[in-house]
Amino acid sequence: MKNVQIYEKLAKKYDLATKVVSFGIEELWRKKFVKIIKKQIKNGTLLDVASATGDMAKSLDFEKMYLLDPSSEMNKIAKEKLKDKNVVFIEDFAESAKIPQKVDLITAFMAVRNFDDLDKGIKNLDKYLKNGGYFAIVELTKSNSLLFKLSMFYMSKIVPIIGGFITGEYESYKKFDKMIKNICDEDILKNLDGYEIIEHIRLFPPIASLIIARKNG
Ligand SMILES: C[S@@+](CC[C@H](N)C(=O)[O-])C[C@H]1O[C@@H](n2cnc3c(N)ncnc32)[C@H](O)[C@@H]1O
């Protein structure tokens, strides 16, 4: 679970650095994600996984929200952003966290690639989703396209320079590249076999996928 130590160091400048290195694309994906989710479910109890600085909870603004992230520095920033909301912070890993109640929606935006054990993480989270509830995921996933290869080059060679300049953490960005796994859509979908897939689209640029799944039962 060492990538968390890196996130701890990046937390204070995470929002700015992410905006710059992604050219604002992550924010466009987030808006699209929220719009698609809201077509299925408008309110209820949310569990946002790998919640970082709390932007997903802020955008969805559900009645009751659990934010799950092992990084205390990220949680500190999220707490400040969400101080007027009904939020419970759970400082733990997706693979081991215990959530006090079952929820209507689980969101994992640029999250699951960070799990040390993807299968264990999704299986544990599934325990806390109500039947008929939604599991919504956006993740960078592999493809054979030239654009994907170029973006991997960008992330391993250029992002550490720009991100390092903004945060003063060049070495941390370089470490990320080695630590974070490249996964494909299938690695996620194989864990969702008790679910109906409502949406499964490739985002633009085609380096990430959006999946919305409804739990059967
Ligand atoms: C790329 S950020 C997530 C972005 C965020 N979901 C958003 O909406 O902006 C990755 C986050 O994953 C967290 N993380 C790392 N390992 C984790 C794990 N095993 N379970 C849950 N969160 C984890 C990190 O602490 C970090 O805050």
Side-chain angles (χ1 to χ4, degrees):
M1 314 254 176
K2 289 196 195 94
N3 74 57
V4 179
Q5 287 153 18
I6 301 179
Y7 282 114
E8 290 280 86
K9 290 188 189 165
L10 299 181
K12 284 198 181 79
K13 297 263 174 76
Y14 177 80
D15 287 347
L16 173 67
T18 304
K19 221 168 263 162
V20 174
V21 300
S22 78
F23 304 107
I25 288 168
E26 249 196 61
E27 274 323 290
L28 295 178
W29 288 349
R30 187 190 304 283
K31 280 194 185 131
K32 184 170 183 133
F33 190 46
V34 168
K35 196 169 160 195
I36 295 178
I37 289 171
K38 290 263 182 179
K39 274 191 205 151
Q40 300 295 334
I41 174 165
K42 296 216 163 19
N43 214 331
T45 306
L46 166 71
L47 168 60
D48 183 42
V49 182
S51 45
T53 64
D55 281 352
M56 187 51 64
K58 197 171 166 205
S59 303
L60 281 164
D61 196 14
F62 269 32
E63 261 162 44
K64 172 139 204 198
M65 302 191 278
Y66 291 98
L67 268 69
L68 168 63
D69 199 296
S71 161
S72 59
E73 291 299 318
M74 289 288 194
N75 288 337
K76 252 188 234 164
I77 295 168
K79 257 176 211 158
E80 191 52 35
K81 267 189 206 170
L82 297 162
K83 56 180 175 230
D84 307 328
K85 307 286 176 197
N86 186 7
V87 175
V88 175
F89 286 88
I90 299 173
E91 206 161 290
D92 205 340
F93 297 92
E95 295 90 327
S96 50
K98 288 184 176 60
I99 315 298
Q101 69 174 109
K102 289 201 175 191
V103 302
D104 303 296
L105 169 65
I106 297 178
T107 46
F109 181 81
M110 307 293 277
V112 298
R113 238 165 46 117
N114 291 283
F115 299 175
D116 268 1
D117 187 331
L118 175 66
D119 300 351
K120 195 172 167 193
I122 295 182
K123 246 174 223 118
N124 184 44
L125 297 170
D126 168 73
K127 288 196 290 198
Y128 301 105
L129 183 64
K130 291 177 189 167
N131 288 338
Y134 296 87
F135 206 137
I137 296 170
V138 165
E139 195 51 82
L140 293 178
T141 49
K142 274 193 278 196
S143 79
N144 291 323
S145 74
L146 179 62
L147 206 53
F148 182 78
K149 285 176 190 138
L150 284 174
S151 56
M152 287 299 112
F153 176 80
Y154 171 73
M155 279 192 254
S156 62
K157 305 287 180 218
I158 317 287
V159 166
I161 297 171
I162 308 174
F165 179 73
I166 297 171
T167 60
E169 289 291 341
Y170 173 82
E171 287 305 325
S172 297
Y173 274 96
K174 285 298 280 181
K175 275 189 204 149
F176 258 143
D177 185 52
K178 294 193 189 80
M179 268 179 194
I180 295 191
K181 298 171 275 295
N182 270 332
I183 60 170
C184 58
D185 287 12
E186 199 37 54
D187 296 325
I188 299 172
L189 292 167
K190 73 175 194 316
N191 285 295
L192 297 173
D193 63 345
Y195 287 72
E196 180 190 350
I197 306 298
I198 309 282
E199 289 271 359
H200 181 193
I201 53 176
R202 202 76 179 139
L203 294 166
F204 186 82
I207 54 174
S209 287
L210 178 155
I211 298 168
I212 313 269
R214 184 167 48 218
K215 188 169 175 175
N216 294 329

